[in-house]
Amino acid sequence: KFLRRMEIIKARWVVPVVPANTTLDHHSVVISDGKIIDILPNSEVDAKYPHPSVVRDLSKDHVLIPGLINMHCHTPMSLLRGFADDVQLQEWLMHYMWPAEGRFVDSDFVRTGSSLSIAEMIQSGTTFVNDMYFFPNVTAEVVDQVGFKAAIGLPILPFPTRWASNVDEYFSKGMEVLEKYRNHDRIRVFLSPHAPYTVDDPTFEKIRDLVKKEKTKIHTHVHETEREVTEALSQSNVRPVARLNKLGILTPDTIMVHMTHLNHEDIDMVAQSGAHVAHCPESNLKLGSGICPVAKLLSRNVNVALGTDGPASNDDLCMLGEMKTSAIVDKLKVESAPLPAWKVLEMSTINGARALGLEDKIGSLQVGKQADITAVKLNVMPVFDPVKCLVYVGVNTVEWVWVNGRNLLENSRLTTINLQELKVEAEEWREKIMAWDRDRKQIDLKSIREQIRQISENSQVEKRSVELKELQAKLHEKKYFVERGDVLGTTTDEYHTLLKDMEDALAK
C-alpha cells in the first residue's frame, strides 16, 4: 500500500488567521503532499496519525502562523543596503540608486542580491514576495531554485536601463518571462510600471489591455511622496490616483504601493475600484515620504497588505518588524481607532493573498491550503496573547519555515541556500561599489585647472567650447556631493571658484 509522506508539527499555539482573531492552544498542523490535511489538538494527533514520516515537537513555546507575504520589494537591492541613508526619496534615487544601478546592475548583481534577500526573508518568516526589479528572469530563477514563492514584476520605464533600451523592449523581454512561468506553481508574473510620474498614458493603456488579455496584475508605486502629488497637480491639475482611475488602471487587478498623502476623493476612488494597497511604513518613514492612512482605507473595505520595500530603503526585510512599525505608527492617527494586533497580522498574510488573487491557496492555515507555514519561538514570559506578543515584541525568533510543505528553514538553518558563499560574493560587490563611489566624489583641482588651460589654448573655437562644456557638466555632477561635504579635500568655496574659472574660460 502506498504511504504518503506525512509531517506533524506540534505547537504551543496555532494562529490560523482564518477564522479571524482565533488562537488554538496546544494544537498540531498535519501536512502531506505540500498541503495542510488537518489541524487538531495535540492530545488527539498521535492516535489519529500513528505513523507519520516526521514529527516536529514545538509544543513548548512556538506559535505557528501562515507564511508571511511581503507585498512589495526590490529584492536584488540588498547589495545596495546602507549605500545611501538619511536622505529623502528624490535625492536617494537621483544621486545614489539610479547612478549605482546604471553602473552595476546586471544578471550577476541580480542573482547575488536576490539570493541574499530571499535568504533574509526566509530567516524572518516570509514565504512569498511581490517583487519588482530589473532582470526579473534572474530573480525568478533564484526563486525557483530555492523553493520560494514570488510574484515577479516586469519593470516598465520610459528610459533605458541595463535591462532594456526602450519601452518596447521592456514589454518584449517581459513577455518572454511571463510565458516561461505562465503555469508555474510557485511563481506568478505581474506587470510593474514604475510610477505615474515616470510612465505616460499610452504606456499605462497598453499595460491595462495586456493585463486583461494575460489575466495577470499590475504592481506599481503610487503617491509615494507629497512631491509626486503636487507636481502632478502643477503639470496637469489631476492627482495621480484620479489619473490612473480615468485610464482604467484602478481595478481589483491592481496593487498600489505606498499610497501616502491621500485625500477623501482618492480613498473613494480606490474603495469603489476594488484595487489593493501595499503599505510600507518603515521605508516611508526612513525616506520621510509620509504614511498611508491604513485605518481610513480599511474602514472603506479597501484591502491593505504589508510590504517592506527594498532592502536599500528599509533597510531590512523582516515582516515581523514591519508589523510592529505598522501597528505603532497607526496609533498616531488620533482620528481613528487603533488597529488591533490580529488585524496587522491579517495584513501580513491573508490580505496579501487576496491582493495576489491567491486567497484560496495561501495566507491562512486551513485544511486544503498549501503548507506555507512559519514557526516563531516566543522568547518572552509570560505570554498572555501570542498574537500581540508576535506583533509587538521584537525579540522573538523565526526557527522553522515550510513552503509547500518543504522545509526551507530547519531549526534556524537554511536548507536550500549557501549563506557563506553569498557572503563572499556580497563583499566583492561592496568593494566594487565603494571604489566607484569614491572615484565619482573626487575632484582634483590642479588637474581640472590644467585641463581648462589646455582646452582654452585650442584655436578651434567650436571644439574648445564643446570640450569646456563637457568638463563643466562633469563638475556640475559633483555639486550635490560638494555641498554635502562628501568630497574630501575640496571646500564649497574652492568648488565655486573652479566653476567661475570654467565660466570665464567659456566666455572668452
Side-chain angles (χ1 to χ4, degrees):
K1 183 179 179 180
F2 174 72
L3 296 176
R4 296 181 301 171
R5 187 184 187 281
M6 181 185 298
E7 185 168 350
I8 295 172
I9 312 167
K10 296 182 178 180
R12 173 61 180 85
W13 305 275
V14 174
V15 179
V17 174
V18 177
N21 195 18
T22 298
T23 298
L24 305 173
D25 289 326
H26 301 290
H27 268 61
S28 294
V29 175
V30 185
I31 58 180
S32 182
D33 293 338
K35 293 187 176 181
I36 298 170
I37 64 169
D38 207 350
I39 300 173
L40 71 168
N42 291 342
S43 58
E44 300 174 11
V45 69
D46 292 337
K48 187 171 181 180
Y49 301 100
H51 304 295
S53 306
V54 180
V55 177
R56 311 287 188 191
D57 190 353
L58 309 178
S59 59
K60 184 178 178 181
D61 44 25
H62 284 71
V63 55
L64 296 186
I65 60 173
L68 299 171
I69 299 172
N70 186 345
M71 278 304 296
H72 180 61
C73 194
H74 307 291
T75 297
M77 293 184 77
S78 55
L79 290 178
L80 293 172
R81 187 193 334 249
F83 175 61
D85 296 314
D86 306 322
V87 294
Q88 293 188 332
L89 177 67
Q90 291 304 315
E91 290 178 76
W92 183 80
L93 288 171
M94 294 177 64
H95 297 292
Y96 298 96
M97 293 302 115
W98 287 345
E101 288 173 333
R103 175 66 179 82
F104 292 105
V105 171
D106 59 14
S107 58
D108 290 335
F109 179 101
V110 170
R111 189 174 304 281
T112 299
S114 292
S115 299
L116 277 170
S117 289
I118 291 170
E120 181 181 346
M121 284 189 272
I122 293 170
Q123 289 174 313
S124 53
T126 293
T127 56
F128 195 116
V129 64
N130 185 33
D131 201 53
M132 176 199 293
Y133 206 66
F134 309 110
F135 295 88
N137 56 322
V138 178
T139 298
E141 289 171 6
V142 174
V143 168
D144 194 19
Q145 292 163 5
V146 169
F148 200 57
K149 290 184 177 180
I152 300 296
L154 305 175
I156 300 169
L157 288 157
F159 49 80
T161 63
R162 299 185 80 181
W163 165 243
S165 58
N166 53 52
V167 171
D168 289 341
E169 190 174 13
Y170 282 109
F171 278 107
S172 62
K173 294 181 81 169
M175 289 304 99
E176 292 175 7
V177 179
L178 189 150
E179 188 59 38
K180 179 175 180 178
Y181 293 97
R182 184 180 296 278
N183 299 312
H184 199 285
D185 65 334
R186 287 182 289 105
I187 296 173
R188 301 292 187 274
V189 179
F190 295 166
L191 297 184
S192 293
H194 175 254
Y197 66 89
T198 52
V199 177
D200 62 20
D201 286 1
T203 304
F204 266 121
E205 289 168 347
K206 183 174 181 178
I207 291 166
R208 176 198 64 203
D209 296 342
L210 199 54
V211 163
K212 291 178 183 177
K213 177 185 175 184
E214 299 293 345
K215 295 181 173 56
T216 184
K217 294 184 180 291
I218 296 172
H219 170 204
T220 185
H221 307 97
V222 186
H223 277 233
E224 186 167 1
T225 64
E226 186 176 20
R227 175 178 173 176
E228 175 187 340
V229 180
T230 56
E231 287 188 352
L233 287 170
S234 68
Q235 293 165 9
S236 64
N237 202 33
V238 180
R239 294 169 66 84
V241 167
R243 176 183 159 219
L244 294 181
N245 191 45
K246 184 178 179 180
L247 290 169
I249 298 297
L250 298 195
T251 76
D253 289 326
T254 298
I255 300 160
M256 297 185 291
V257 184
H258 300 303
M259 295 294 279
T260 68
H261 305 286
L262 302 178
N263 63 20
H264 293 300
E265 289 76 19
D266 295 327
I267 293 173
D268 286 343
M269 281 183 273
V270 175
Q272 291 165 13
S273 71
H276 309 270
V277 171
H279 175 38
C280 303
E282 291 187 357
S283 175
N284 289 153
L285 286 168
K286 184 168 183 278
L287 292 170
S289 302
I291 287 295
C292 175
V294 173
K296 286 183 178 180
L297 289 165
L298 290 175
S299 72
R300 296 295 309 278
N301 295 317
V302 175
N303 182 48
V304 181
L306 204 60
T308 60
D309 208 345
S313 64
N314 182 295
D315 284 7
D316 64 60
L317 300 176
C318 178
M319 285 290 289
L320 294 176
E322 207 72 33
M323 283 196 287
K324 179 176 181 177
T325 301
S326 178
I328 291 173
V329 166
D330 184 74
K331 289 173 174 53
L332 293 174
K333 302 284 185 179
V334 295
E335 72 272 15
S336 57
L339 292 179
W342 62 270
K343 275 282 188 185
V344 178
L345 180 59
E346 283 187 345
M347 289 164 59
S348 303
T349 52
I350 193 63
N351 287 13
R354 291 187 183 111
L356 296 165
L358 297 173
E359 65 271 29
D360 60 331
K361 295 179 171 63
I362 62 174
S364 60
L365 302 182
Q366 294 175 271
V367 173
K369 280 198 169 184
Q370 294 170 359
D372 295 357
I373 304 170
T374 292
V376 185
K377 182 180 180 182
L378 301 186
N379 291 322
V380 295
M381 296 179 290
V383 176
F384 294 103
D385 183 323
V387 176
K388 291 178 181 177
C389 182
L390 192 71
V391 170
Y392 293 119
V393 177
V395 295
N396 300 314
T397 309
V398 174
E399 292 191 344
W400 299 78
V401 171
W402 293 259
V403 173
N404 279 1
R406 180 186 182 188
N407 261 131
L408 299 190
L409 188 71
E410 186 172 343
N411 200 19
S412 300
R413 182 184 64 85
L414 291 163
T415 63
T416 60
I417 297 177
N418 188 326
L419 208 52
Q420 295 306 311
E421 288 183 1
L422 286 177
K423 287 179 179 179
V424 173
E425 293 174 23
E427 178 59 20
E428 290 173 352
W429 279 108
R430 187 193 71 83
E431 290 175 357
K432 290 182 205 174
I433 293 166
M434 288 300 294
W436 164 79
D437 192 46
R438 283 192 299 269
D439 183 65
R440 74 183 182 131
K441 292 176 181 176
Q442 288 180 352
I443 297 178
D444 187 333
L445 297 172
K446 184 177 179 181
S447 173
I448 292 174
R449 285 201 172 92
E450 178 60 20
Q451 289 180 64
I452 294 172
R453 186 191 66 78
Q454 290 179 1
I455 294 170
S456 299
E457 290 176 353
N458 193 320
S459 60
Q460 299 180 30
V461 176
E462 187 175 336
K463 184 178 181 182
R464 184 173 70 224
S465 177
V466 169
E467 290 179 353
L468 284 171
K469 285 179 179 178
E470 288 176 353
L471 187 57
Q472 184 184 47
K474 290 179 180 179
L475 268 180
H476 276 295
E477 288 175 2
K478 299 179 187 290
K479 179 180 179 182
Y480 171 81
F481 299 109
V482 172
E483 293 180 346
R484 280 178 56 88
D486 291 342
V487 178
L488 298 178
T490 302
T491 67
T492 304
D493 288 343
E494 288 172 328
Y495 173 77
H496 286 292
T497 298
L498 191 60
L499 284 180
K500 181 66 168 57
D501 292 344
M502 181 73 71
E503 290 168 3
D504 292 343
L506 279 165
K508 291 180 181 178

